């Protein structure tokens, strides 16, 4: 049973009948859901259930591969992302990956504004300085690196590198941040800092988070999607899903019967 949260008004994102194929294998099956603004929404499910495939479709990353096809709509402000330029889309939706991936040849400063450079957008030095400071402050990294801005981003710890990658995503001014298991490569202390950061960032952004970690979803997400075998099984407020799941498959997953 799927709860589509019919009470969401002016959603940040509407996914309408989205299906994704790898060659002839239908990996995501007719998913429809609306994502509430200024929330953390967790996408949960066992390995191979389609959660990362769904997330990457929201940033049109699948277009890099000839064997992946997508059908359906994804709407931001009633505009279908598949009708947008990728530059416009990626200004609307930032992406943070599983492992911290600062560009190794770039300084901390250059990493933050890399999106502008890669898309051929020229900025004055004052504009760059303001974007770098604001983005690093947003991820609580400014005070830690302000005297090292021109050192390589790779000299930072793993947790700092991941916050740098989040700053790089924020620098473009998106409304939505997509995160694919952003703490899975981090130690517990760094994980806790990222989780605290996400709770703070939802005041200004909408966050969609793929996670294998059910306790993480319970701690920081407002809404959760549970996917199984490419199907959206259940969607609702996280607290309700964890205390009173509507579908037996959700209950089995949350109680460790499979996963």
């Amino acid at each position: 049973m799927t709860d589509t949260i019919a009470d969401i008004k002016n959603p940040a994102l509407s996914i309408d009948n989205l299906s994704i194929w790898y060659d002839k294998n239908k990996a995501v099956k007719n998913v429809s859901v609306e994502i509430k603004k200024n929330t953390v929404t967790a996408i949960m499910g066992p390995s191979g259930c389609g959660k990362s495939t769904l997330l990457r479709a929201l940033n049109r990353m699948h277009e890099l591969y000839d064997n992946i096809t997508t059908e359906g709509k994804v709407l931001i402000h009633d505009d279908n992302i598949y009708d947008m330029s990728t530059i416009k889309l990626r200004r609307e939706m930032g992406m943070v990956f599983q492992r911290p991936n600062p560009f190794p040849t770039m300084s901390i400063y250059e990493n933050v504004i890399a999106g502008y450079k890669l898309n051929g957008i020229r900025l004055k030095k004052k504009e760059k300085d303001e974007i770098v400071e604001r983005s690093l402050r947003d991820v609580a990294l400014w005070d830690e690196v302000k005297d090292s801005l021109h050192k390589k981003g790779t000299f930072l710890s793993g947790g700092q590198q991941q916050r740098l990658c989040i700053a790089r995503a924020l620098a473009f001014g998106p409304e939505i941040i997509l995160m694919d298991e952003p703490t899975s490569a981090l130690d517990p202390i760094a994980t806790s800092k990222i989780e605290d950061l996400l709770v703070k960032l939802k005041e200004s952004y909408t966050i969609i988070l793929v996670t294998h970690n059910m306790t993480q979803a319970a701690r920081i997400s407002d809404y959760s999607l549970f996917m199984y075998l490419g199907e959206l099984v259940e969607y609702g407020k996280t607290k309700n899903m964890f205390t009173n799941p509507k579908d037996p498959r959700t209950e089995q997953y949350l109680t460790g019967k499979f996963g």
Side-chain angles (χ1 to χ4, degrees):
M1 182 186 297
T2 299
D3 185 351
T4 59
I5 314 295
D7 62 336
I8 290 179
K9 295 179 181 178
N10 301 314
L13 189 73
S14 296
I15 302 170
D16 183 11
N17 206 30
L18 187 67
S19 295
I20 304 162
W21 285 261
Y22 287 89
D23 296 317
K24 294 183 179 180
N25 175 40
K26 195 173 186 180
V28 171
K29 303 171 183 176
N30 309 98
V31 169
S32 294
V33 73
E34 293 188 333
I35 304 296
K36 187 174 176 65
K37 288 181 180 177
N38 299 112
T39 59
V40 176
T41 298
I43 306 177
M44 301 185 298
S47 295
C49 71
K51 55 188 184 294
S52 289
T53 299
L54 173 63
L55 189 81
R56 287 166 181 253
L58 304 182
N59 208 32
R60 285 173 55 185
M61 293 188 67
H62 297 321
E63 292 177 14
L64 299 171
Y65 305 96
D66 292 337
N67 67 324
I68 302 176
T69 54
T70 304
E71 286 185 4
K73 295 179 181 178
V74 179
L75 303 176
I76 302 176
H77 309 307
D78 296 324
D79 295 325
N80 189 356
I81 67 166
Y82 296 107
D83 296 331
M84 292 180 183
S85 70
T86 53
I87 291 176
K88 182 180 179 187
L89 170 62
R90 287 163 191 167
R91 293 197 75 156
E92 297 273 6
M93 282 199 273
M95 185 86 178
V96 178
F97 297 95
Q98 189 168 5
R99 293 189 172 275
N101 62 338
F103 297 122
T105 62
M106 293 185 183
S107 67
I108 293 169
Y109 185 102
E110 291 167 333
N111 260 282
V112 175
I113 54 170
Y116 292 91
K117 185 176 181 180
L118 293 172
N119 286 289
I121 300 169
R122 299 178 68 87
L123 298 170
K124 295 177 181 177
K125 185 177 186 303
K126 183 181 178 184
E127 291 175 315
K128 289 192 270 189
D129 290 347
E130 289 173 350
I131 290 168
V132 168
E133 181 172 349
R134 183 190 70 240
S135 302
L136 290 173
R137 284 191 183 278
D138 281 350
V139 300
L141 195 56
W142 174 253
D143 288 337
E144 297 171 36
V145 303
K146 63 184 178 183
D147 297 322
S148 308
L149 292 176
H150 298 290
K151 289 186 178 180
K152 296 288 191 287
T154 48
F155 100 95
L156 300 171
S157 69
Q160 288 174 319
Q161 287 186 32
Q162 193 64 303
R163 281 187 282 152
L164 175 59
C165 293
I166 296 170
R168 187 173 66 197
L170 299 183
F172 238 11
E175 292 190 24
I176 298 167
I177 308 293
L178 309 174
M179 296 188 163
D180 194 356
E181 298 193 67
T183 63
S184 64
L186 304 180
D187 62 51
I189 292 173
T191 294
S192 179
K193 284 186 176 182
I194 296 288
E195 289 180 356
D196 290 345
L197 172 63
L198 299 190
V199 171
K200 181 174 179 291
L201 286 176
K202 75 178 181 182
E203 296 171 11
S204 304
Y205 304 92
T206 301
I207 298 167
I208 304 175
L209 169 78
V210 165
T211 181
H212 268 105
N213 188 331
M214 288 183 281
T215 57
Q216 180 176 77
R219 279 194 300 266
I220 68 169
S221 71
D222 304 286
Y223 291 85
S224 290
L225 288 84
F226 172 61
M227 294 188 68
Y228 185 60
L229 298 178
E231 178 188 346
L232 174 57
V233 173
E234 189 166 341
Y235 175 42
K237 292 182 178 178
T238 298
K239 183 177 179 180
N240 295 344
M241 187 179 295
F242 275 78
T243 56
N244 187 28
K246 295 180 178 179
D247 190 287
R249 291 168 293 178
T250 311
E251 183 175 11
Q252 289 168 4
Y253 178 71
L254 294 175
T255 55
K257 301 287 173 48
F258 66 85

